Amino acid sequence: MNRAARSQLPVATPNGEVHIPLPRRVGVVTPPDPPPPADATMLLPKSPSQEEADRKLRREAWQRRIAWGAPALVTLALGVVGLTGTGLWADELATWGITTVSWAELWRQLDGTDATIGPYYVLIRIWTTVFGDSDLSLRLPSLLAMVGAAAVVGLIGIRLGSHRIGLIAGLTFAILPITTRFGQEARPYAMATLAAAVATLLLIRMLEGYTLGLALAYGAAVAALGAMHLVALLMLAAHGLAVLLLKRKLVWRWGPSAFVGLIPLIPIILIGRRQQGNQIGWIPFTDLHQIEAYGLEFFGGALIGGAVIALGVAAVSRERGAVVAITLGVVPVALLMALGSVAHLWQQRYVLYTIVGWAVLVGLLLAKRGLLAATATIAVLAVLTLPGQAEVRKPAFRYQDTKAVVALIERDFQPGDGIVYGLKDRGPGVLNRDVIAHYLPANRRPTDLLMDRPMRTDGWMVASEHQDVAVRLGETRRLWVLRLGEYGDPLDDLDGSKKDVLKERYDVADSWWTTGYTVALLTRKEAV
């Protein structure tokens, strides 16, 4: 036996004890894992039924996201196409013009005109300070508002019963040509539509169960709606009627909620009453022509409009969602038409937000018809919108082709050219100067020979002109005339003494009609 083996044997010590040597440690000995504490919970594998329930919850969460996300994306995609293809028309130029003045001058302007949409002007003024005043920048807030409104329509459908209602309603809203049209306009109507959609969603939640938080949120939505456009507050008549029909006891809580939203609007209402004649006096009274035009044009075309209305009427029932949707779609329009027969009020765009109600009705109807029928119907609606989608991107749908005006002048412009405007033309001729000021750089712009005080100065939106036209024209050899409207004779009905002086001193060398405008180039007669 070798020495190593003998060293492992027991050894007796002198005192009689036996020493048993321990085995020699080789490597690292890992201690065993400590036992789990007594209160530890053991994770057991999920049963097949539990896993299926989890998958269902995840699937439903994704379906809800798609129900509001898909309409938002479709609205964004359609709105981006052609967003800056057409130029700003007169109302949009008014939006641009207010962004060019100082804050002090802006307050003076609102005190004299356009106070009813003053909050929108303030918002756009802040926006353009950060992002500039290009056509894209001016129109982008409206597009984003329409994207948000499409998402809210989807959320309304989800609240009314299912993601399928939300998806169909949201997609119907998204593909309507009128949605694209006002999502591409630098005016407050898209933002009013968003506010109305949010208020409608909150109303539906209040019908389910009233809370103070919902009441305050509803009041804020009403305030936002009125701040964007006071006439849009006709929505409250629709909401009030829906509450009466569905849950009469809620009237005593809904009423104060709506009133809270009206309180911040009182100053705007008071100032707006003072400005009423200047602001809406040009609007004609409602007649059969306006009623017919609503059916043919409101949704962006007669075919798509007729289809949406037919589907919406077929969805009418006593169900909560149907009652809210039909009152929102019909009541504001009927009231404004009635008021427009005795006051200068009826404009289709003032009740743009009513498309929310019609879209929800379509969603309620098709969601009950099965996936195949709903998909086929939405596909047919999408095809019916194609002519309207093309039309709303044309200058004619915006009443004026300002880019064509600029192209004509820029093409034939010569240094030393002057320009004369028709201030009292049919429509807002006072805004003719904005076309040139916005689109033409100073070194490629005809000289404004008659202007004394620029537009939007000292609280006056309209520029003041020198009364002695002959003196101001001087020896100018070439003169441009810009008129709002189409005139066979470009000098016909020209305001003040302009017509007589121009006919005496100038010949009409050429004239053009573009959509909504008459442009003429005059040359000085050889012998005056």
Side-chain angles (χ1 to χ4, degrees):
M1 182 179 296
N2 59 31
R3 182 179 299 177
R6 287 195 302 268
S7 67
Q8 301 299 318
L9 295 175
V11 178
T13 60
N15 59 6
E17 294 178 355
V18 178
H19 172 69
I20 301 175
L22 296 175
R24 187 159 56 94
R25 181 178 298 176
V26 179
V28 178
V29 178
T30 303
D33 293 335
D39 59 348
T41 302
M42 296 185 66
L43 296 177
L44 299 176
K46 293 182 179 180
S47 65
S49 60
Q50 289 175 321
E51 290 181 352
E52 179 61 27
D54 288 346
R55 282 195 296 268
K56 183 179 179 181
L57 288 175
R58 288 193 296 269
R59 184 170 60 251
E60 289 177 349
W62 274 107
Q63 288 171 339
R64 287 193 295 271
R65 294 187 186 102
I66 293 171
W68 62 263
L73 290 176
V74 172
T75 303
L76 179 62
L78 291 174
V80 167
V81 177
L83 182 58
T84 59
T86 56
L88 305 181
W89 71 289
D91 279 14
E92 292 182 286
L93 287 169
T95 300
W96 167 78
I98 209 71
T99 68
T100 64
V101 301
S102 66
W103 281 105
E105 187 59 56
L106 184 146
W107 303 127
R108 286 194 288 269
Q109 291 293 321
L110 296 183
D111 186 55
T113 184
D114 268 342
T116 54
I117 56 173
Y120 169 75
Y121 282 151
V122 172
L123 179 63
I124 291 296
R125 181 72 172 79
I126 296 170
W127 173 271
T128 54
T129 300
V130 179
F131 298 104
D133 63 353
S134 66
D135 290 4
L136 174 62
S137 177
L138 288 166
R139 287 173 172 168
L140 192 56
S142 292
L143 176 57
L144 295 177
M146 276 303 192
V147 170
V152 175
V153 171
L155 292 173
I156 290 173
I158 294 171
R159 199 75 195 182
L160 290 177
S162 71
H163 69 276
R164 185 174 295 180
I165 298 173
L167 180 60
I168 297 171
L171 289 177
T172 302
F173 178 90
I175 64 177
L176 288 176
I178 202 68
T179 300
T180 303
R181 161 71 173 83
F182 285 98
Q184 295 182 340
E185 176 159 311
R187 294 300 280 173
Y189 308 112
M191 295 185 183
T193 301
L194 173 59
V198 171
T200 302
L201 175 61
L202 292 169
L203 176 71
I204 292 170
R205 294 187 61 184
M206 289 173 67
L207 288 167
E208 297 171 358
Y210 177 90
T211 66
L212 180 59
L214 284 175
L216 294 176
Y218 183 82
V222 169
L225 177 66
M228 291 300 102
H229 205 269
L230 281 179
V231 178
L233 290 173
L234 289 173
M235 176 203 73
L236 293 176
H239 282 188
L241 179 59
V243 172
L244 281 172
L245 294 174
L246 293 169
K247 199 172 183 179
R248 187 165 299 181
K249 292 181 179 180
L250 186 63
V251 170
W252 305 110
R253 290 185 169 182
W254 169 82
S257 303
F259 182 74
V260 167
L262 296 177
I263 293 174
L265 303 175
I266 292 175
I268 299 175
I269 295 171
L270 294 177
I271 298 174
R273 282 178 57 84
R274 191 184 69 206
Q275 300 173 354
Q276 185 174 352
N278 296 330
Q279 286 301 102
I280 58 176
W282 59 272
I283 299 176
F285 293 115
T286 307
D287 56 21
L288 292 178
H289 174 71
Q290 275 80 30
I291 296 173
E292 180 185 7
Y294 170 79
L296 295 175
E297 302 172 1
F298 181 69
F299 293 92
L303 289 177
I304 184 61
V308 169
I309 291 175
L311 291 171
V313 170
V316 174
S317 69
R318 294 185 178 182
E319 294 180 1
R320 179 188 59 190
V323 171
V324 172
I326 193 62
T327 53
L328 180 63
V330 171
V331 172
V333 175
L335 280 177
L336 192 59
M337 280 187 175
L339 292 171
S341 65
V342 294
H344 303 282
L345 282 174
W346 169 252
Q347 286 287 292
Q348 294 186 27
R349 55 186 179 269
Y350 292 174
V351 287
L352 174 66
Y353 58 88
T354 58
I355 60 176
V356 172
W358 290 107
V360 171
L361 285 170
V362 173
L364 289 169
L365 178 70
L366 297 184
K368 300 175 181 178
R369 296 298 185 268
L371 181 61
L372 182 61
T375 303
T377 305
I378 288 294
V380 171
L381 290 179
V383 172
L384 293 179
T385 66
L386 294 179
Q389 288 287 353
E391 284 297 315
V392 298
R393 290 171 172 82
K394 294 179 180 178
F397 213 87
R398 296 178 185 270
Y399 313 111
Q400 296 130 25
D401 190 352
T402 52
K403 284 190 175 180
V405 170
V406 173
L408 284 169
I409 296 177
E410 197 169 29
R411 183 191 66 188
D412 294 336
F413 170 79
Q414 294 181 10
D417 285 358
I419 189 167
V420 171
Y421 300 93
L423 286 186
K424 296 182 180 179
D425 293 341
R426 297 185 288 266
V430 295
L431 298 174
N432 285 346
R433 282 181 164 86
D434 282 342
V435 180
I436 305 303
H438 178 57
Y439 285 111
L440 286 177
N443 63 342
R444 296 287 299 170
R445 186 184 305 166
T447 303
D448 192 345
L449 297 171
L450 301 182
M451 184 178 66
D452 274 341
R453 184 191 64 238
M455 294 181 65
R456 303 178 184 90
T457 304
D458 299 327
W460 294 88
M461 185 183 74
V462 183
S464 68
E465 295 186 341
H466 199 278
Q467 297 303 306
D468 196 333
V469 177
V471 170
R472 281 298 182 94
L473 295 182
E475 299 300 320
T476 303
R477 303 296 302 171
R478 288 167 36 108
L479 194 66
W480 294 90
V481 175
L482 179 58
R483 308 289 304 276
L484 183 62
E486 296 179 357
Y487 294 85
D489 180 354
L491 304 183
D492 189 32
D493 295 329
L494 199 56
D495 53 282
S497 61
K498 297 174 189 175
K499 176 180 177 180
D500 295 335
V501 174
L502 293 181
K503 280 187 174 294
E504 178 185 352
R505 296 191 174 198
Y506 292 87
D507 291 319
V508 178
D510 212 342
S511 64
W512 304 267
W513 286 350
T514 69
T515 301
Y517 281 104
T518 299
V519 183
L521 177 60
L522 280 57
T523 55
R524 192 171 179 85
K525 295 179 179 179
E526 293 300 327
V528 179

